[in-house]
Each structure stands twice: as structure tokens, then as C-alpha cells.
Amino acid sequence: MDAKATLKEFCSAVERRDGKALAALFTEEGVYHDIFYGAFKGRAKIAELIDDWFYRTAQDFLWDMHDPVTDGRTLYARYTFSYKSNLPEAKGGRAMFEGVAIITLKDGLFAEYHEVANTATAFVDLNFAPERIAKIVAKQGAALKARPEMARHL
């Protein structure tokens, strides 16, 4: 597996709203754990995440993966991610955040995709009220706490 090329295809599939292409990078039973929307299991659900969920409230996605590292079992990459929000309070603004992708590999495909990201800056960019940001960040913290095995990636 060429990690750099595979991650480029991953990002490109999201940017062009091609859930089927992104899902093809996963095993049949692969799971995409999205920081906002939760877990999507199986290729059909992963394609739905991209084609429907991502584009429900946003458009014009830009995603770049940086400095991938893999041992053949796990693939790590830093990323920058941005999008133009369709939410009313965002007033057409662009949100950006940085994170780390943590991908479990099986036979050259993604078995699981996880991410850890600082999304608070994106919510400030989107003009979310401080109370709303606090709720979202608390929810993300609780999700991470519920998966203590993810702490080893921090």
C-alpha cells in the first residue's frame, strides 16, 4: 500500500462527494468513526456518511493529509480539514481544523478510521454560541473517554 497515494484518494473522494470511492478504501465491514457523526459500519454506510451526512450542512470541502507513518497495521497522518458551512449562524463562512487520522489496516484496506481533532476553532469560525461549543466539546470528550483505547494515540 502506498500510504500517501491512498490518503490522497481518501481526501479527494470526500472533496468530490464520491462516497463509493471512499468506501472502496475500506474492508467490507470497515468502520469510519467520524468526530461529529459517530460510527458508520460497512461500505454502504460509509458512502452514505460522505454523500449525505457530510454534505447536509456543508460544501466545498478541502482535506489534506500530512506526514503519513505506517507499520503495515496502523496508519497515522496529521490533517487539515475545512469546509464552507451551510448552517444559518455561519453566514456562509469557512471552518477549518486540524487533527490526526488513526487508521487500522487489514489486507491493505482500512478496517477502522478514527480521528482526534481540535474542532473548537471551527465552531468559533462558524459563530457558534459559546454554550453550543461547550456542549459539542463535552460530547466529544465523553466519546473519547468511552473509548479508553484511543488514549494511547494521544
Short mmCIF file of all heavy atoms in Angstrom, two decimals, residues 18 24 27 37 45 57 59 69 72 76 90 94 99 101 103 107 110 123 143 147 154:
data_model
loop_
_atom_site.label_atom_id
_atom_site.label_comp_id
_atom_site.label_asym_id
_atom_site.label_seq_id
_atom_site.Cartn_x
_atom_site.Cartn_y
_atom_site.Cartn_z
N ASP A 18 -17.76 11.68 -3.43
CA ASP A 18 -17.79 10.35 -4.01
C ASP A 18 -17.66 9.30 -2.90
O ASP A 18 -16.60 8.72 -2.69
CB ASP A 18 -16.67 10.21 -5.04
CG ASP A 18 -16.75 8.93 -5.85
OD1 ASP A 18 -17.54 8.02 -5.48
OD2 ASP A 18 -16.02 8.83 -6.85
N ALA A 24 -14.66 2.27 -0.92
CA ALA A 24 -13.88 1.20 -1.53
C ALA A 24 -12.50 1.06 -0.89
O ALA A 24 -11.85 0.03 -1.04
CB ALA A 24 -13.74 1.45 -3.03
N THR A 27 -12.45 -2.17 4.22
CA THR A 27 -12.89 -3.56 4.15
C THR A 27 -14.41 -3.58 4.13
O THR A 27 -15.07 -2.58 4.45
CB THR A 27 -12.39 -4.36 5.38
OG1 THR A 27 -12.96 -3.80 6.57
CG2 THR A 27 -10.88 -4.37 5.46
N TYR A 37 -20.28 12.80 13.62
CA TYR A 37 -21.48 12.00 13.38
C TYR A 37 -21.46 10.59 13.96
O TYR A 37 -22.45 9.88 13.89
CB TYR A 37 -21.74 11.92 11.87
CG TYR A 37 -21.94 13.28 11.24
CD1 TYR A 37 -21.06 13.75 10.27
CD2 TYR A 37 -22.99 14.10 11.63
CE1 TYR A 37 -21.23 15.00 9.68
CE2 TYR A 37 -23.17 15.35 11.05
CZ TYR A 37 -22.29 15.79 10.08
OH TYR A 37 -22.46 17.02 9.52
N LYS A 45 -22.81 2.28 4.39
CA LYS A 45 -22.98 3.33 5.41
C LYS A 45 -21.87 4.38 5.31
O LYS A 45 -22.12 5.57 5.51
CB LYS A 45 -23.02 2.73 6.81
CG LYS A 45 -24.28 1.96 7.11
CD LYS A 45 -25.46 2.90 7.17
CE LYS A 45 -26.72 2.18 7.57
NZ LYS A 45 -27.89 3.06 7.53
N THR A 57 -24.86 19.81 5.70
CA THR A 57 -24.70 21.15 6.30
C THR A 57 -23.43 21.85 5.84
O THR A 57 -23.06 22.87 6.42
CB THR A 57 -24.69 21.05 7.84
OG1 THR A 57 -23.62 20.20 8.23
CG2 THR A 57 -26.02 20.53 8.37
N GLN A 59 -20.30 22.33 2.36
CA GLN A 59 -19.90 22.15 0.96
C GLN A 59 -18.46 22.62 0.80
O GLN A 59 -17.86 23.12 1.75
CB GLN A 59 -20.82 22.95 0.05
CG GLN A 59 -20.79 24.46 0.32
CD GLN A 59 -21.79 25.23 -0.50
OE1 GLN A 59 -22.08 24.87 -1.63
NE2 GLN A 59 -22.34 26.29 0.07
N VAL A 69 2.60 7.92 8.45
CA VAL A 69 3.52 6.95 9.03
C VAL A 69 2.74 5.66 9.22
O VAL A 69 1.62 5.69 9.74
CB VAL A 69 4.07 7.44 10.39
CG1 VAL A 69 4.96 6.39 11.03
CG2 VAL A 69 4.80 8.76 10.25
N GLY A 72 2.31 -0.95 8.68
CA GLY A 72 1.58 -2.00 7.97
C GLY A 72 0.32 -2.44 8.67
O GLY A 72 -0.56 -3.06 8.06
N TYR A 76 -0.96 6.45 10.53
CA TYR A 76 -1.22 7.74 11.18
C TYR A 76 -0.91 8.85 10.19
O TYR A 76 0.03 8.74 9.41
CB TYR A 76 -0.29 7.95 12.39
CG TYR A 76 -0.44 6.96 13.50
CD1 TYR A 76 0.38 5.83 13.56
CD2 TYR A 76 -1.37 7.16 14.51
CE1 TYR A 76 0.25 4.92 14.59
CE2 TYR A 76 -1.49 6.26 15.55
CZ TYR A 76 -0.68 5.13 15.58
OH TYR A 76 -0.81 4.24 16.61
N ALA A 90 -23.48 30.41 10.55
CA ALA A 90 -22.16 30.52 9.92
C ALA A 90 -22.13 31.61 8.85
O ALA A 90 -21.05 32.08 8.49
CB ALA A 90 -21.76 29.19 9.32
N ARG A 94 -16.31 29.85 6.31
CA ARG A 94 -15.48 28.65 6.17
C ARG A 94 -14.93 28.28 7.55
O ARG A 94 -14.45 29.13 8.28
CB ARG A 94 -14.33 28.93 5.20
CG ARG A 94 -13.50 27.72 4.90
CD ARG A 94 -12.74 27.88 3.58
NE ARG A 94 -12.43 26.57 3.07
CZ ARG A 94 -13.22 25.82 2.32
NH1 ARG A 94 -14.37 26.28 1.91
NH2 ARG A 94 -12.86 24.62 1.95
N GLY A 99 -6.24 17.86 12.78
CA GLY A 99 -6.41 16.64 13.55
C GLY A 99 -5.40 15.59 13.17
O GLY A 99 -4.47 15.84 12.40
N ALA A 101 -5.46 11.47 11.89
CA ALA A 101 -6.19 10.29 11.47
C ALA A 101 -5.44 9.06 11.97
O ALA A 101 -4.21 8.99 11.86
CB ALA A 101 -6.28 10.25 9.95
N ILE A 103 -5.69 5.04 11.51
CA ILE A 103 -6.35 4.06 10.64
C ILE A 103 -5.77 2.67 10.89
O ILE A 103 -4.57 2.46 10.78
CB ILE A 103 -6.16 4.45 9.15
CG1 ILE A 103 -6.68 5.87 8.93
CG2 ILE A 103 -6.83 3.45 8.24
CD1 ILE A 103 -6.15 6.56 7.70
N ASP A 107 -5.21 -6.20 5.25
CA ASP A 107 -5.03 -6.59 3.85
C ASP A 107 -4.97 -5.39 2.91
O ASP A 107 -5.55 -5.40 1.82
CB ASP A 107 -6.14 -7.55 3.41
CG ASP A 107 -6.17 -8.83 4.23
OD1 ASP A 107 -5.07 -9.30 4.62
OD2 ASP A 107 -7.26 -9.34 4.50
N PHE A 110 -8.66 -0.15 4.79
CA PHE A 110 -8.96 0.44 6.09
C PHE A 110 -9.98 -0.44 6.81
O PHE A 110 -11.08 -0.63 6.33
CB PHE A 110 -9.57 1.83 5.93
CG PHE A 110 -8.67 2.88 5.33
CD1 PHE A 110 -7.43 2.59 4.79
CD2 PHE A 110 -9.09 4.20 5.29
CE1 PHE A 110 -6.62 3.56 4.24
CE2 PHE A 110 -8.29 5.18 4.75
CZ PHE A 110 -7.06 4.87 4.21
N PHE A 123 -15.76 25.80 15.32
CA PHE A 123 -17.05 26.30 15.82
C PHE A 123 -17.00 27.80 16.09
O PHE A 123 -17.99 28.50 15.92
CB PHE A 123 -17.48 25.52 17.06
CG PHE A 123 -17.66 24.06 16.77
CD1 PHE A 123 -17.06 23.10 17.56
CD2 PHE A 123 -18.42 23.64 15.68
CE1 PHE A 123 -17.23 21.76 17.29
CE2 PHE A 123 -18.58 22.30 15.40
CZ PHE A 123 -17.98 21.35 16.21
N ALA A 143 -17.12 10.89 24.34
CA ALA A 143 -16.92 9.80 23.37
C ALA A 143 -15.50 9.25 23.48
O ALA A 143 -15.29 8.04 23.44
CB ALA A 143 -17.21 10.30 21.96
N ARG A 147 -13.96 5.40 25.01
CA ARG A 147 -13.05 4.54 24.23
C ARG A 147 -11.63 4.74 24.74
O ARG A 147 -10.81 5.35 24.07
CB ARG A 147 -13.16 4.88 22.76
CG ARG A 147 -14.53 4.56 22.17
CD ARG A 147 -14.48 4.64 20.69
NE ARG A 147 -13.40 3.81 20.19
CZ ARG A 147 -13.55 2.75 19.43
NH1 ARG A 147 -14.73 2.38 19.06
NH2 ARG A 147 -12.52 2.07 19.00
N LEU A 154 -2.96 9.49 21.73
CA LEU A 154 -2.82 10.93 22.01
C LEU A 154 -1.42 11.28 22.45
O LEU A 154 -0.69 10.53 22.96
CB LEU A 154 -3.82 11.36 23.07
CG LEU A 154 -5.28 11.16 22.68
CD1 LEU A 154 -6.18 11.52 23.86
CD2 LEU A 154 -5.65 11.97 21.46
#
